[in-house]
Amino acid sequence: ATNAYDGLDFTNNYQAKETSVTFSGTKSLTGKDLVDGEFSFDLKDSKGNVLQTVQNGKDGTISFKPIPYTAAGQYTYTISEEATQEYGVTADATVYNITVEVTDDGSGQLKAGVTGLNQDGSGADFTNTYKADSTSVTLGGFKTVNGINNSAKTFSFTLSEGDTVLQTVTRTGAGEYKFDPISYKETGDHTYTVAETKGNAAGYTYDTRAYTVKVSVTEDKSGHLHAKISGDTTTGTDLNFTNTYKAKE
């Protein structure tokens, strides 16, 4: 305002004090421990321009820098998580649409009201799930029958873990036998026993050996599971049994 008094001019300027808003949230990761800076988050303006990009803290915190406002008006933003290339991680596709309404309270102070998040700017929360891929092993071997050609007898083989029989397979005569693949979805150690079931067919002597097979399942940094076989075999496919047939005299 300008006033003239006895030839003197007076000019007053009005400028309300600025205000600011700080957006924040949390990152949760199920299936494994969260690492500092593991995921990135973008704050964009109404035109899709990236204003800020931040990473999560080890404790899951997501904190953007304060946004200052020097004029009243309506401001819109989005917050989203960047697509992750981490194997085994399912990303959170949530997009937060945020409006900040800045008003002058009439006493020289700007005020900011937030919608789309909590009034204090918090609540941009994201949850990801981690799950390593599965792996498997297939155990088996070869049945040899000595003393007879083209045996028509059926032989039975068991795969056990502790006292529990997991699988039983059969084959007629000599040749390869194979159990169904054993799948693993998590790390751990397993000890199996593979044996032939003793039969009562006349003239046959059955193989009494029992193989101990150990499987150690580990996970690499890329989220892949790996199964290593040890014990009485390193391949799991050479668990061989030999039977002998001798006709009665």
Side-chain angles (χ1 to χ4, degrees):
T2 302
N3 297 307
Y5 181 76
D6 292 338
L8 299 177
D9 295 333
F10 299 92
T11 301
N12 293 345
N13 293 315
Y14 174 80
Q15 178 66 52
K17 292 182 179 180
E18 72 174 41
T19 187
S20 66
V21 170
T22 302
F23 298 125
S24 63
T26 58
K27 155 58 65 178
S28 299
L29 178 62
T30 60
K32 73 171 187 174
D33 293 335
L34 186 65
V35 176
D36 183 49
E38 189 171 0
F39 299 94
S40 296
F41 308 88
D42 293 330
L43 170 64
K44 300 178 182 180
D45 64 16
S46 59
K47 297 181 179 180
N49 300 311
V50 177
L51 303 178
Q52 297 182 40
T53 298
V54 298
Q55 288 74 41
N56 64 276
K58 185 177 181 180
D59 60 354
T61 54
I62 303 169
S63 299
F64 292 92
K65 295 179 181 179
I67 303 174
Y69 301 96
T70 58
Q74 187 178 83
Y75 306 84
T76 58
Y77 308 94
T78 62
I79 293 178
S80 59
E81 179 180 283
E82 292 186 359
T84 178
Q85 302 300 315
E86 188 173 352
Y87 191 89
V89 173
T90 302
D92 191 330
T94 302
V95 177
Y96 290 93
N97 295 288
I98 308 158
T99 300
V100 177
E101 190 78 35
V102 180
T103 57
D104 187 337
D105 68 0
S107 61
Q109 179 65 58
L110 294 176
K111 300 289 186 180
V114 178
T115 56
L117 290 176
N118 297 323
Q119 183 58 43
D120 62 357
S122 66
D125 302 330
F126 298 88
T127 300
N128 290 35
T129 301
Y130 171 80
K131 185 178 181 181
D133 64 354
S134 62
T135 189
S136 66
V137 299
T138 301
L139 304 179
F142 196 88
K143 157 58 68 178
T144 299
V145 182
N146 293 327
I148 187 173
N149 293 325
N150 300 320
S151 172
K153 294 299 180 183
T154 298
F155 303 98
S156 179
F157 311 91
T158 58
L159 167 64
S160 303
E161 186 171 16
D163 295 328
T164 302
V165 176
L166 303 179
Q167 296 183 42
T168 299
V169 296
T170 60
R171 78 152 291 114
T172 299
E176 183 184 32
Y177 75 93
K178 185 185 297 183
F179 295 101
D180 292 335
I182 307 170
S183 296
Y184 305 96
K185 296 183 179 180
E186 57 186 24
T187 60
D189 296 317
H190 303 266
T191 300
Y192 303 104
T193 301
V194 175
E196 180 181 14
T197 302
K198 184 178 180 180
N200 56 7
Y204 283 88
T205 300
Y206 289 84
D207 197 328
T208 59
R209 80 183 73 185
Y211 291 98
T212 297
V213 182
K214 297 181 179 181
V215 178
S216 178
V217 182
T218 58
E219 180 184 340
D220 63 23
K221 294 181 179 180
S222 298
H224 298 280
L225 292 179
H226 301 275
K228 181 179 180 180
I229 299 174
S230 62
D232 292 334
T233 176
T234 58
T235 65
T237 58
D238 55 355
L239 307 175
N240 302 327
F241 296 92
T242 300
N243 288 20
T244 301
Y245 174 78
K246 184 177 181 181
K248 291 183 179 181
E249 298 180 355

